[in-house]
Amino acid sequence: MENLGFGDDKELVNYVLKNLSNENKEGITPEKIENVLDFMLDFFEYKGYMDDETDSNEEVIIDDDEMANFIQEKIEKNAISLTEAQVKEILDIEYQFNLNEGVYD
């Protein structure tokens, strides 16, 4: 993820772990967070947001529900035990982290 402008994986994963709500912390591991982040990038690729031909200055509007559903399907296919609430909170925290880092406008 680092080479895509999303910052340091370890720093991001630690930030997510630190900021998860108590009700969503149970069963969360760094590996599960990394899976969610990898599936998020898979979604970006699937939607063509990371194509070389895409204008990097073009504003991209991401449907959060569509992305969460895409990730949830991947999680279920890979037999990773995460709830929908956990996935959404990981994505929210990832967004906040990268917003603070200047990755997102």
Side-chain angles (χ1 to χ4, degrees):
M1 279 184 30
E2 209 172 316
N3 60 342
L4 297 172
F6 285 95
D8 178 20
D9 287 351
K10 189 178 279 189
E11 186 180 347
L12 174 55
V13 169
N14 288 336
Y15 183 84
V16 171
L17 282 169
K18 179 181 168 195
N19 289 286
L20 277 168
S21 63
N22 287 333
E23 64 260 15
N24 284 325
K25 277 187 178 179
E26 187 172 332
I28 297 290
T29 64
E31 293 78 19
K32 288 181 181 181
I33 294 169
E34 289 173 4
N35 287 134
V36 171
L37 299 175
D38 287 344
F39 296 152
M40 179 188 73
L41 293 178
D42 290 348
F43 175 77
F44 291 166
E45 287 180 19
Y46 168 76
K47 295 297 283 185
Y49 300 150
M50 297 169 60
D51 289 344
D52 290 337
E53 299 162 9
T54 303
D55 181 2
S56 62
N57 294 324
E58 183 179 331
E59 183 176 341
V60 173
I61 298 174
I62 297 170
D63 183 326
D64 293 336
D65 290 331
E66 181 183 10
M67 182 170 62
N69 290 337
F70 178 93
I71 292 169
Q72 196 66 43
E73 285 178 19
K74 290 244 185 196
I75 284 169
E76 290 169 9
K77 283 182 185 175
N78 288 280
I80 300 167
S81 60
L82 287 171
T83 67
E84 191 174 321
Q86 287 172 316
V87 170
K88 286 185 176 185
E89 187 169 10
I90 290 169
L91 293 173
D92 288 344
I93 295 169
E94 176 277 334
Y95 179 78
Q96 188 59 51
F97 176 85
N98 283 310
L99 191 64
N100 294 343
E101 293 292 311
V103 174
Y104 302 136
D105 291 331

